[in-house]
Amino acid sequence: MHTEQITHHKAYARAFALYMRRGVPIDLAAIALEVKADTAQSPYYIGRTSGDDKVRPSHAANNGKIFAWDNPPPTGNPGEEFGCRCTAEPYDLPNIDKAQQNVISVVDEGLNRWGTSDFLSHFYFGGGATVTLSQMRHLQDVINLAKNNIYPRFENQIINKVRLQSESDFSEDFVRSYEFYNVSFWHGRSTVSGIFNGNVQYFEDKLVVSGTIKYSFRDEFTDPLDIRQLFYGTSSPKFFDAATVMNTDLRGKRFYITDNWTTSVQITRLK
């Protein structure tokens, strides 16, 4: 970037005025970022702090959040407040009505994918030990299924929550059962829960939600022939005495199937 582009920019004039009035050093790197943002015709930026223990709490709260140059946070745009060392990272606002989730946790699966014989073997000889989807090599398949029928529903739930509250930082959760027959017949209907933590920011006619979601999967392998389900309408052992459970479980030992994964999420919607 040419020096002339920096020294002739409004950001340099603002920084020079602060230097003359208050002795604030001119941060050419921060100015260059603002110039780059203008050159790219982006009216938005991501606030970044210097990341040390000198950062003021009010400025630390802006770190990683998206702002518009013409609608800055209470602390002002980066570099405007006295002694501010924050910078602005150019940002292009995504298209309206867009949602994206990316897995940010490790998906570390076992070597052999579980089939029917593995479920039944563990049922009779596993001693009731909990098994993870990763150990079964089913976690990635569950995640792929979740992308189509779980992610969109929770994204809409988050947006509905946003439109009913005024706080910028918020959390939301859900618990529902879903069908996982396409992953394995033995999963049937299993429970998935999710916890979102993040923030919402408003721009003219749109809003942007950013944060993370931790998903948890839980299933119980029991009543393999659906005997209790067929005759009593539920397989849950908590509704039956021990003898009934033992007989309908064909003297196997029920076990839990669990796992979790975390996604980063960004949702853009009309207000």
Side-chain angles (χ1 to χ4, degrees), residues 184-202:
S184 172
F185 168 80
W186 297 106
H187 287 309
R189 290 191 69 86
S190 304
T191 299
V192 176
S193 60
I195 300 176
F196 167 84
N197 284 291
N199 63 78
V200 58
Q201 294 170 277
Y202 301 92

Side-chain angles (χ1 to χ4, degrees), residues 153-154 157 173-178 190-195 216:
R153 289 188 64 175
F154 193 33
Q157 180 179 330
D173 59 73
F174 80 94
V175 178
R176 295 191 189 96
S177 63
Y178 296 90
S190 304
T191 299
V192 176
S193 60
I195 300 176
S216 297

Side-chain angles (χ1 to χ4, degrees), residues 105-125:
S105 55
V106 176
V107 179
D108 184 13
E109 299 196 319
L111 296 177
N112 299 307
R113 193 177 195 282
W114 274 36
T116 296
S117 62
D118 299 291
F119 278 92
L120 295 177
S121 176
H122 193 77
F123 184 57
Y124 284 106
F125 307 111

Side-chain angles (χ1 to χ4, degrees), residues 141-252:
D141 290 341
V142 166
I143 292 174
N144 291 341
L145 190 149
K147 290 177 182 178
N148 296 322
N149 65 356
I150 298 178
Y151 286 12
R153 289 188 64 175
F154 193 33
E155 289 162 1
N156 288 333
Q157 180 179 330
I158 291 169
I159 291 299
N160 290 335
K161 170 73 175 289
V162 165
R163 288 172 173 155
L164 294 174
Q165 55 96 47
S166 58
E167 299 295 326
S168 59
D169 297 318
F170 71 102
S171 62
E172 181 68 348
D173 59 73
F174 80 94
V175 178
R176 295 191 189 96
S177 63
Y178 296 90
E179 292 186 354
F180 289 92
Y181 292 103
N182 289 343
V183 176
S184 172
F185 168 80
W186 297 106
H187 287 309
R189 290 191 69 86
S190 304
T191 299
V192 176
S193 60
I195 300 176
F196 167 84
N197 284 291
N199 63 78
V200 58
Q201 294 170 277
Y202 301 92
F203 304 96
E204 299 173 356
D205 61 341
K206 60 184 72 75
L207 54 85
V208 178
V209 174
S210 303
T212 61
I213 300 174
K214 182 176 180 180
Y215 292 97
S216 297
F217 178 99
R218 185 175 178 85
D219 188 20
E220 186 176 19
F221 190 91
T222 186
D223 190 18
L225 297 183
D226 285 337
I227 297 173
R228 298 196 301 273
Q229 181 66 43
L230 290 172
F231 286 94
Y232 303 104
T234 179
S235 293
S236 178
K238 67 181 181 181
F239 296 109
F240 304 93
D241 58 72
T244 301
V245 172
M246 180 179 294
N247 290 329
T248 53
D249 270 355
L250 309 179
R251 298 188 178 275

Side-chain angles (χ1 to χ4, degrees), residues 1-22:
M1 185 175 292
H2 296 296
T3 304
E4 290 81 5
Q5 287 181 278
I6 295 176
T7 55
H8 287 81
H9 194 270
K10 61 183 180 181
Y12 184 86
R14 185 172 63 242
F16 185 78
L18 286 171
Y19 171 75
M20 295 298 293
R21 291 200 306 268
R22 303 176 181 174

